[in-house]
Amino acid sequence: MTSPLDVHTDGPVQIWTISRPDVGNAITGKDVIAAFEASVDAVNADIAVGAVVLTGAGKIFSAGGNVKEMADRQGMFGLAAIDQRRAYIDGIQRIPRALGRLEVPLIAAVNGAAIGAGCDLAMMCDIRIASERASFAESFVQLGLIPGDGGTWFLPRAIGYARAAELTFTGERIDAATALDWGLVSRVVPHDDLLSEAQALADRIAVNPPRALRMAKRLLQESATGSLESTLSMAAAMQPLAHHDVEHQRRIAKWRTP
C-alpha cells in the first residue's frame, strides 16, 4: 500500500510529499496522521538528517480537511459532539503536536493552494517558500467552522494578530504575492524552481553541525512561548553541550593560527 506521505532522502535532507492528490492532499485521514508521526520520530532518531522539506503532490499543497466526508457525515463527522471532540484530539491535532517536536528545521515548499488545515500545516513549518501559483486561505468560517487544528495559535505567530484576524474572520484566499507582502512566506519563486529552491535552502541549513542545529531550533521554539529568562537559562544549559561537541571542536580548530 502506498504511503500517504512519501519520504525521499537526499544526503542530510529529507523531502516529505503529501501523496493524496485524489482528495486534495487532505491531512485528516488516520493513515496520513500516523505517517507524519512516524516520519517525525524517524528523523528525531537519525542525527544524520539536518532538514526536512514538506510539499504536496500534484497541483495542491493541501486542501486540509476532506469536505466530502463532512458533507456525507462519514467517519468522525458522523459522531456525536462529545465524541467528535475526542476525535479531534486523537486525530488531526496529533499533526501539530508531532511537528512541534520535530527537532530539525522544517521548510514548507507550497506548490499550490493551502486551504484551511492545509494553510495551518504550512504555518506549522519553520520556513515557507511559495510557488508563484500558491495561495492561502484560513477558510474555516466560510463553512461555519473554526480552525480545529491549532491555526489560531500558529497564524498570529507567523504574520501578527491583525493579519491573522483578517484571514480568519473573512476566510478569504490570498495569492503568493500578498503572502510575501504579509510575511506569511519568506520568498516566492517560479513554480518549476520551487523544489530546487527549497532543497537548496535545506542544503545550506543541513551543512551545519546537526546537534547545534537541533538545539538552535529548540531555543527558537522556547523564545516564541517562554520568557527571556527561560530562554537564557536553556541557552546556558545547551551551550556547554555545543562546546563539547566534536563538530564544534573540529570547526573551531580551523580558526586557530599555526
Side-chain angles (χ1 to χ4, degrees), residues 7 18 28 38 58-59 65 71 84 100-101 116 131 144 148 153 157-158 174-175 181 185 189 201 236:
V7 176
I18 309 168
T28 51
K59 298 180 179 180
Q84 281 190 349
R101 68 172 186 268
S131 155
W153 194 92
R157 284 166 171 78
I174 60 172
D175 60 16
D181 181 57
V185 300
V189 301
L201 175 57

Side-chain angles (χ1 to χ4, degrees), residues 66-99:
N66 190 322
V67 177
K68 185 180 185 302
E69 288 184 352
M70 293 183 200
D72 295 341
R73 298 290 180 181
Q74 295 178 353
M76 65 170 285
F77 305 112
L79 299 175
I82 191 68
D83 296 321
Q84 281 190 349
R85 175 185 178 274
R86 190 72 245 174
Y88 269 94
I89 295 170
D90 293 338
I92 195 169
Q93 290 185 356
R94 287 160 51 191
I95 292 180
R97 290 190 176 97
L99 296 183

Side-chain angles (χ1 to χ4, degrees), residues 45-61:
D46 187 357
I47 198 65
V49 180
V52 172
V53 175
L54 174 64
T55 193
K59 298 180 179 180
I60 295 177
F61 177 72

